[in-house]
Amino acid sequence: MNFAPLPSVDAAAVPSDGFVLDVRENDEWAAGHVEGALHIPMSDFVGRFGELTEAADDGRRVHVMCRVGGRSAQVTQYLVQQGIDAVNIDGGMQAWDGAGRPMVTDNGTPAFVL
């Protein structure tokens, strides 16, 4: 079988109003995340898949994020197989932080990548 390369995007190239899906675990999310991102941990993903399809029903591109890009690559591959326009964010939150992109926390403490 011939697999197409996984669609991916540099963290610096994600539009500021882009739709980000964060598949990291709860403790990672709490440490710091992209404002407005949809958080569905990879461990819960199949059970909560409907939340994503509802959020992305306008057909916009889904930018999938984890810490360094491994988990998000698996989720991106799954989404593409479901016919969803999804791209993996190369380097994940570490690259996002390294590119100086903004991060927030839910409790107002300084955000960091766990």
Side-chain angles (χ1 to χ4, degrees):
M1 292 179 75
N2 187 4
F3 290 101
L6 188 69
S8 62
V9 65
D10 191 77
V14 176
S16 57
D17 62 348
F19 178 39
V20 175
L21 169 66
D22 191 322
V23 299
R24 297 174 303 147
E25 295 303 315
N26 292 329
D27 58 338
E28 295 173 287
W29 169 266
H33 55 267
V34 177
E35 189 168 10
L38 175 63
H39 179 225
I40 304 178
M42 185 172 168
S43 56
D44 298 341
F45 192 74
V46 174
R48 294 176 58 188
F49 182 63
E51 292 176 43
L52 171 69
T53 55
E54 194 173 301
D57 70 353
D58 54 7
R60 60 190 165 150
R61 171 164 284 175
V62 179
H63 300 84
V64 189
M65 169 88 78
C66 69
R67 189 168 73 91
V68 294
R71 288 170 286 179
S72 55
Q74 294 176 50
V75 172
T76 300
Q77 188 170 29
Y78 176 77
L79 294 177
V80 169
Q81 289 169 346
Q82 308 305 311
I84 293 171
D85 179 11
V87 294
N88 187 34
I89 298 176
D90 274 336
M93 281 300 292
Q94 289 188 333
W96 185 272
D97 187 31
R101 301 294 302 263
M103 297 186 301
V104 297
T105 59
D106 291 335
N107 61 11
T109 57
F112 66 97
V113 178
L114 183 64

